[in-house]
Structures are given as structure tokens and as C-alpha cells.
Amino acid sequence: LRAPEADLSSLLQEDVLDPVAMMKTRLTLLGFAEQVVCYLDLVDLRRVERMPGLVSRGSVKFGPLFRDLRSRIDKDVDLLIRRGHTIYTPMVVVVAVSDPTEPDWRETLSELRDPDWWWHPHISVLGLGKLSPEMAVAIATRWEWALVADFGSTLQISTLVARLGEYVRESEDDL
């Protein structure tokens, strides 16, 4: 995937994500297909000079991603609390190029979104390529956080980044 790499780099532009959001956000960038690959782990966006490139790696399986996120969020929140950070509701942005290929992904999504789990995240979806709008809405926690764009559609990707900044500012109400 060459287009998402260029678009993700817009997160690093100070005029895209406001300074308060930049200060509060810790980013973990994961790639997923058959397995989950971690490209960035809990990085301060103010210290990232360049976003890593992303590569399409075959069939899209959401199950491994959602399972990984469930355990990763627990570990990350614990680590951030020990470091003295204030924790808000986690935000997950799923960038996907097609609908999932495995049948049981909804089960793992339900576990990730379980309202009885203290750290269940808000989920935003950016569909590129062949992800259907219906699938994006099914995964996102709010329908307005489900965007489907063509590769290279910087307008919609910029909208997602702006919404992420709004979310960070509003998330203090979730405490």
C-alpha cells in the first residue's frame, strides 16, 4: 500500500493535528493480514520524524488484529499509567483495503468493544480500495467515524485526521 504511507505522514504535520492533541496522543501503528506486525509502539507523535511505509500482505483478517488490540490496550494502558500519564478512552483507527476474509471476525470485534471492559476503545475506520461502506460502518463505533475513500483521496484522509484531533480534545469527558 503506497497511498496510505503518504497519507499517514500527514499526522506529523503540526497544522493538521493541534498541539494539545499531539501532546496527548501516543501512537501504535500496526499492520495486519494473517498476522499483526507492529511498526510503531506507543510513540509520541512529536518525536516521530517519518512514518514507516506500509505494505499490502495478502488476505485481510480482522480477527488477529482485534485480538491483538484487546491485549495490547491492556498492556499499554498499564504502562502509561505507571509512567504517570492520564488515560482517556483509547482510539483505534483501522485502515483497511478490503472486507475481511475470515468468517468469525465479528466475535473478536465484540470482545474488543465489550462495554464491560474498562478500556474498550472508540474505533474509526478508513477504508481504502475495496472496503465496503457497510463494513466500515459495522466496525466503527460511530457511523460518522467510518470513511471510505479511493487511494490517494487526501481530502477524506485529512478529514479523518481532523476528527482524530477533535476526539482527543473531547475524550476528556470520558473519564
Side-chain angles (χ1 to χ4, degrees):
L1 300 177
R2 301 308 302 165
E5 174 187 357
D7 297 325
L8 290 176
S9 67
S10 68
L11 282 171
L12 302 178
Q13 297 171 6
E14 291 182 25
D15 61 331
V16 174
L17 201 58
D18 73 48
V20 173
M22 292 282 279
M23 181 178 66
K24 291 181 178 183
T25 301
R26 293 299 173 269
L27 175 71
T28 296
L29 179 61
L30 305 173
F32 67 100
E34 300 284 331
Q35 299 176 7
V36 176
V37 176
C38 184
Y39 293 101
L40 296 174
D41 193 21
L42 282 181
V43 297
D44 182 335
L45 283 175
R46 298 169 298 174
R47 297 190 178 16
V48 176
E49 293 180 19
R50 193 172 87 91
M51 293 297 268
L54 302 176
V55 178
S56 182
R57 298 182 294 126
S59 64
V60 174
K61 295 196 174 187
F62 290 150
L65 173 68
F66 297 151
R67 273 189 293 281
D68 182 276
L69 285 168
R70 174 74 192 236
S71 66
R72 186 178 298 273
I73 289 170
D74 274 332
K75 288 185 272 185
D76 289 352
V77 165
D78 185 52
L79 176 65
L80 290 169
I81 289 172
R82 285 195 319 263
R83 290 181 179 172
H85 292 274
T86 300
I87 306 299
Y88 304 100
T89 303
M91 179 71 173
V92 171
V93 179
V94 176
V95 179
V97 296
S98 70
D99 291 353
T101 57
E102 87 273 33
D104 63 344
W105 67 271
R106 289 181 192 272
E107 240 177 76
T108 56
L109 177 62
S110 293
E111 292 168 11
L112 181 63
R113 293 169 69 175
D114 179 2
D116 292 331
W117 175 41
W118 185 261
W119 298 115
H120 64 276
H122 293 304
I123 302 172
S124 181
V125 178
L126 176 59
L128 299 173
K130 297 179 181 176
L131 184 77
S132 68
E134 297 80 16
M135 188 62 62
V137 169
I139 296 167
T141 50
R142 294 183 186 173
W143 68 267
E144 64 268 24
W145 287 350
L147 301 174
V148 177
D150 294 325
F151 280 112
S153 176
T154 55
L155 176 62
Q156 287 194 23
I157 294 167
S158 297
T159 300
L160 177 67
V161 172
R163 285 185 188 169
L164 177 60
E166 291 169 14
Y167 162 76
V168 171
R169 287 187 301 280
E170 293 169 1
S171 65
E172 294 174 355
D173 297 336
D174 290 339
L175 289 177

